[in-house]
Amino acid sequence: MTLPPFGDTEEAEGPAELPKSLSIALPVCARLNALQRMTPVNHTDVHEFVLLGLATWPDLQVPLFLAFLAMYMATLLGNFGIIILIRTDLHLHTPMYYFLSHLAFVDVCYSSIILPKMLVQILMEEKTISFSGCAVQLCCFVVFGVTECLLLGVMAYDRYVAICKPLLYPAIMGRWTCRWLVAGSYTIGVLHTVTHTTFLFTFSFCRSNVINHYFCDIAPLIALSCSDTHTYEVVVLALVSINCLSTMTIIFLSYTYTLPAVLRIRSPEGRRKAFSTCASHLTVVTMFYGAILFMYLRPSSTYELDENKAATLFYTVMTPMLNPLIYSLRNSEVKAALRRAVGRRQMAEQNHTSVAEFVLEGLSDQAEMKAALFVLFLLIYTITLVANMGIIVVIRGDPRLHTSMYFFLGSLSVVDICFSSVIAPRTLVNFLSERKTISFVGCMGQAFFYIVLVTTECFLLAVMAYDRYVAICNPLLYSSVMTRRLCMWLVVGSYLGGVLNSIIQMTFIIRLPFCNSNLINHFFCDVPPLLALSCASTYINEMVLFSLAGVIELSTISTILVSYIFISFAILRIRSADGRQKAFSTCVSHLTAVTMLYGTTIFMYLRPSSSHSLNTDKVVSVFYTVVIPMLNPLIYSLRNQEVKDALRRTVERVTVRL
């Protein structure tokens, strides 16, 4: 299916739960960004920055992309592996591994703030980042960087109590103590980011908008400011000194007491076990703090930005990748837990009969209901194809709709056609056939494309919310922000996000042994009914499903929510009643589509497995797999004046030709 083209518009119409403190970081950054735009200053406002990256030689772009992509994948797999292993192995349910799971989570977030944007910019000619995007990136970078420092200090204290006071260890390092230590680490990280952004993003940036770095870091942003940054440089030096020196003091004192205590252990096995955990932690501490101290505890006169980029690369990319390897290769308990997990998998695979095909139970066994359901589903599927094809044809044929908003709407229609075509034809065939079987490969293929397309639709709805935010809140910058290249990358990124999510989930599902039954209590191959057929533990699969669905849903919902908070205030400030009505019409259509899709997917996938009822899930699944793809084009055509006008013009042209 060919995506509809569009032209640039000239004018737009008017592991453990995280502490709540972490959720205030992004709103704080957004308020500071708004404050910066409102502050009257005698300079040209900077609305976007240009990131120079690591290298400007074209020959290095592809090797760098492949190298950093491999590092990022290794970081995600290694850290998620550590988190899953700790959650599933009872031998690792101790304070030490509780802190390690949070360190792995921070490393995932830490690298995800920088590497995805960096990978996109390596392949793009325009290496720009918006002012607000730069502010958010720096906010998150500071939060997780400071949190990692504090967690390393907490882990050193945990080792001190475990080795020097083993009898008091359960009493001192209780469940609530551990939670408060982790919550305190995140809270201090948030306080640090509030302090940094309060200073940095109220400065004037008038020298240049070119950042000599591959992400928005403090030093290169200071170099661009034409304001007096002396006070802020003192604040940076003071905050980094307090944070690093306090945590390093805790680490140094902890190991001053820990190492003699280890040497006093009489058992060679006990000494080796204690040394293995301490050596892993000390290796991570040395790598992380070495780079941090080199970066931020030097006078600004000695800064060399090219030198800093190499040092930053070590603690932003290399350290998050190496941490899980260090803790797994140098820690005997983690290696033993990994062997037990592999052993359980092999035993489960040996004790089951392979399934060559599945039987889809469908929606009803009654002959009368089957005929009625066949007619109903055929009607819905026909309307879905005609309506979505109609939206695509209208957008392609009317030059007035060649804008980014309708480019995304055309892409959404393509996804809806594919989405319903993955499910509906097979369901229609099963209504008429006695033998409702589907091969193992066919079932896995259907599940794969289903996950790809539902994830892509979630991302596209978030992208469309951001597009409305730029159009209504920054209309003069709309054509320069929402360029053709950016829109293409946003759509491609949505598909890539869907493919990545599907690959991760299907990798875990395909390896499951299916020996309880081959009867799927559903009308298509969805993840929960497939997990219900496995005779092995599906805890890891459920955690992966819940984590990925949670991250995707919360990130896209947050984008939509924040966008519409700003949009609502902007619409209320529009003086023209016609302008308000036009802005509301595009927003209401989008919000209706968002509410329908997210309401059902959250109900389906963000519940504990104990509360799943497959019969209830089947009814809900009908709504978002069959009904929503049919309703989306109707919503956007009936509630959108521009689409109705374009449809009227298309009908008139066709009538004239006939």
Side-chain angles (χ1 to χ4, degrees):
M1 180 63 62
T2 305
L3 295 179
F6 72 98
D8 292 336
T9 57
E10 300 180 48
E11 188 172 340
E13 61 279 355
E17 288 189 5
L18 291 179
K20 292 183 179 178
S21 59
L22 187 59
S23 64
I24 70 170
L26 295 183
V28 166
C29 296
R31 288 198 296 272
L32 288 169
N33 182 24
L35 178 64
Q36 194 273 345
R37 291 199 303 269
M38 294 167 59
T39 304
V41 291
N42 297 321
H43 73 284
T44 304
D45 287 338
V46 173
H47 299 290
E48 67 178 12
F49 294 102
V50 178
L51 296 167
L52 285 185
L54 290 171
T56 56
W57 298 294
D59 294 343
L60 288 178
Q61 301 301 315
V62 174
L64 281 175
F65 177 83
L66 295 176
F68 285 113
L69 180 62
M71 290 180 187
Y72 185 49
M73 294 303 295
T75 300
L76 294 181
L77 292 174
N79 284 288
F80 275 125
I82 286 287
I83 293 170
I84 291 169
L85 195 63
I86 290 171
R87 290 296 299 260
T88 55
D89 196 298
L90 295 177
H91 295 84
L92 302 185
H93 289 185
T94 64
M96 172 185 170
Y97 295 106
Y98 175 72
F99 298 133
L100 178 56
S101 66
H102 273 279
L103 184 69
F105 173 77
V106 168
D107 281 335
V108 169
C109 298
Y110 199 43
S111 57
S112 297
I113 292 161
I114 297 169
L115 276 173
K117 181 72 177 176
M118 182 180 173
L119 289 170
V120 170
Q121 288 176 340
I122 287 175
L123 299 180
M124 290 180 66
E125 292 180 9
E126 296 178 5
K127 304 179 187 294
T128 57
I129 183 171
S130 66
F131 186 92
S132 56
C134 187
V136 169
Q137 190 180 58
L138 181 65
C139 279
C140 297
F141 169 71
V142 173
V143 168
F144 292 113
V146 172
T147 303
E148 180 145 353
C149 284
L150 296 169
L151 282 176
L152 291 172
V154 167
M155 292 172 75
Y157 174 71
D158 172 75
R159 289 298 82 206
Y160 157 72
V161 177
I163 294 173
C164 298
K165 299 181 178 181
L167 298 179
L168 296 175
Y169 184 63
I172 296 175
M173 301 303 293
R175 181 185 294 271
W176 281 105
T177 302
C178 296
R179 288 179 176 175
W180 278 110
L181 287 170
V182 169
S185 300
Y186 284 110
T187 303
I188 294 172
V190 172
L191 294 176
H192 269 259
T193 201
V194 170
T195 305
H196 283 293
T197 50
T198 300
F199 277 96
L200 194 53
F201 288 98
T202 53
F203 286 155
S204 304
F205 297 97
C206 53
R207 290 175 183 165
S208 172
N209 70 333
V210 179
I211 298 176
N212 187 13
H213 217 306
Y214 59 90
F215 75 102
C216 292
D217 198 5
I218 294 170
L221 284 169
I222 289 176
L224 297 185
S225 177
C226 51
S227 302
D228 182 11
T229 60
H230 175 72
T231 303
Y232 178 57
E233 289 175 22
V234 173
V235 170
V236 171
L237 188 65
L239 287 176
V240 175
S241 299
I242 292 170
N243 188 48
C244 286
L245 295 179
S246 61
T247 51
M248 286 180 68
T249 302
I250 293 171
I251 293 168
F252 179 76
L253 291 176
S254 297
Y255 279 107
T256 300
Y257 287 99
T258 300
L259 294 177
V262 171
L263 295 174
R264 288 196 298 270
I265 297 175
R266 296 181 179 181
S267 164
E269 179 64 25
R271 280 199 304 272
R272 188 192 64 78
K273 182 179 178 181
F275 266 123
S276 70
T277 57
C278 294
S280 302
H281 181 255
L282 280 172
T283 305
V284 172
V285 165
T286 303
M287 291 193 307
F288 188 76
Y289 278 92
I292 292 286
L293 294 176
F294 175 80
M295 277 292 301
Y296 298 108
L297 288 185
R298 292 181 293 155
S300 60
S301 58
T302 64
Y303 279 158
E304 287 290 340
L305 289 176
D306 289 332
E307 190 179 71
N308 286 353
K309 281 196 282 187
T312 308
L313 194 65
F314 190 77
Y315 73 85
T316 58
V317 179
M318 297 296 293
T319 301
M321 178 186 71
L322 294 175
N323 280 355
L325 298 177
I326 292 168
Y327 278 103
S328 59
L329 297 177
R330 298 185 63 89
N331 189 307
S332 57
E333 289 184 339
V334 174
K335 288 191 286 186
L338 188 59
R339 281 194 296 270
R340 287 193 293 270
V342 173
R344 287 195 298 269
R345 169 67 63 181
Q346 291 175 345
M347 186 178 296
E349 290 178 352
Q350 291 170 1
N351 294 330
H352 79 281
T353 305
S354 60
V355 174
E357 64 179 14
F358 294 100
V359 178
L360 293 168
E361 190 171 292
L363 292 168
S364 176
D365 289 330
Q366 298 177 7
E368 299 81 1
M369 285 294 295
K370 285 183 181 180
L373 287 172
F374 175 82
V375 173
L376 179 62
F377 271 67
L378 181 60
L379 178 63
I380 291 173
Y381 184 51
T382 303
I383 295 173
T384 300
L385 294 181
V386 172
N388 283 288
M389 286 287 190
I391 287 285
I392 295 170
V393 169
V394 168
I395 292 173
R396 284 184 63 87
D398 196 309
R400 300 182 190 185
L401 300 186
H402 289 184
T403 66
S404 56
M405 170 184 169
Y406 294 106
F407 172 69
F408 296 134
L409 178 56
S411 301
L412 185 68
S413 293
V414 172
V415 171
D416 280 336
I417 289 172
C418 299
F419 194 34
S420 58
S421 296
V422 168
I423 309 293
R426 184 77 200 184
T427 305
L428 290 169
V429 170
N430 286 340
F431 281 137
L432 300 180
S433 64
E434 293 292 330
R435 198 163 175 267
K436 304 174 184 180
T437 59
I438 183 171
S439 67
F440 182 89
V441 174
C443 185
M444 295 300 114
Q446 188 181 57
F448 176 84
F449 287 109
Y450 162 74
I451 296 170
V452 168
L453 293 166
V454 74
T455 306
T456 302
E457 182 145 351
C458 287
F459 284 131
L460 280 177
L461 290 173
V463 166
M464 293 171 75
Y466 175 71
D467 173 76
R468 291 298 81 208
Y469 158 74
V470 178
I472 295 172
C473 299
N474 297 292
L476 298 178
L477 297 174
Y478 185 59
S479 58
S480 60
V481 174
M482 299 305 293
T483 61
R484 184 184 186 89
R485 181 182 293 273
L486 176 62
C487 293
M488 288 294 294
W489 274 109
L490 287 172
V491 172
V492 170
S494 300
Y495 280 103
L496 290 177
V499 171
L500 181 61
N501 178 33
S502 188
I503 288 173
I504 294 172
Q505 292 205 42
M506 294 308 297
T507 300
F508 284 93
I509 292 172
I510 288 174
R511 294 179 58 83
L512 285 175
F514 297 100
C515 53
N516 290 338
S517 171
N518 71 335
L519 179 63
I520 298 177
N521 187 15
H522 217 302
F523 62 93
F524 73 99
C525 292
D526 197 5
V527 176
L530 283 172
L531 297 182
L533 298 185
S534 177
C535 52
S537 172
T538 59
Y539 178 78
I540 294 177
N541 297 75
E542 291 166 11
M543 285 298 302
V544 169
L545 174 63
F546 186 82
S547 301
L548 291 175
V551 169
I552 292 166
E553 296 279 344
L554 293 178
S555 61
T556 51
I557 287 174
S558 299
T559 302
I560 294 167
L561 184 63
V562 171
S563 296
Y564 275 106
I565 288 172
F566 285 102
I567 288 170
S568 300
F569 288 113
I571 289 177
L572 294 174
R573 289 196 298 268
I574 297 174
R575 295 181 180 179
S576 164
D578 185 60
R580 282 199 301 272
Q581 189 271 336
K582 186 178 180 182
F584 266 122
S585 70
T586 58
C587 294
V588 168
S589 301
H590 180 256
L591 279 174
T592 306
V594 166
T595 304
M596 291 192 305
L597 180 68
Y598 280 89
T600 51
T601 52
I602 288 174
F603 176 81
M604 279 290 298
Y605 299 110
L606 290 182
R607 292 180 295 154
S609 59
S610 57
S611 65
H612 273 301
S613 170
L614 290 178
N615 290 323
T616 304
D617 290 352
K618 280 196 288 187
V619 177
V620 177
S621 298
V622 170
F623 189 74
Y624 74 86
T625 58
V626 180
V627 178
I628 288 179
M630 177 191 70
L631 292 178
N632 279 349
L634 301 178
I635 292 167
Y636 279 102
S637 59
L638 296 177
R639 300 191 64 91
N640 189 307
Q641 190 61 43
E642 289 184 338
V643 175
K644 287 192 285 187
D645 292 341
L647 184 61
R648 194 178 303 112
R649 288 191 295 269
T650 303
V651 172
E652 289 173 358
R653 285 197 301 270
V654 172
T655 305
V656 169
R657 289 177 184 175
L658 293 175

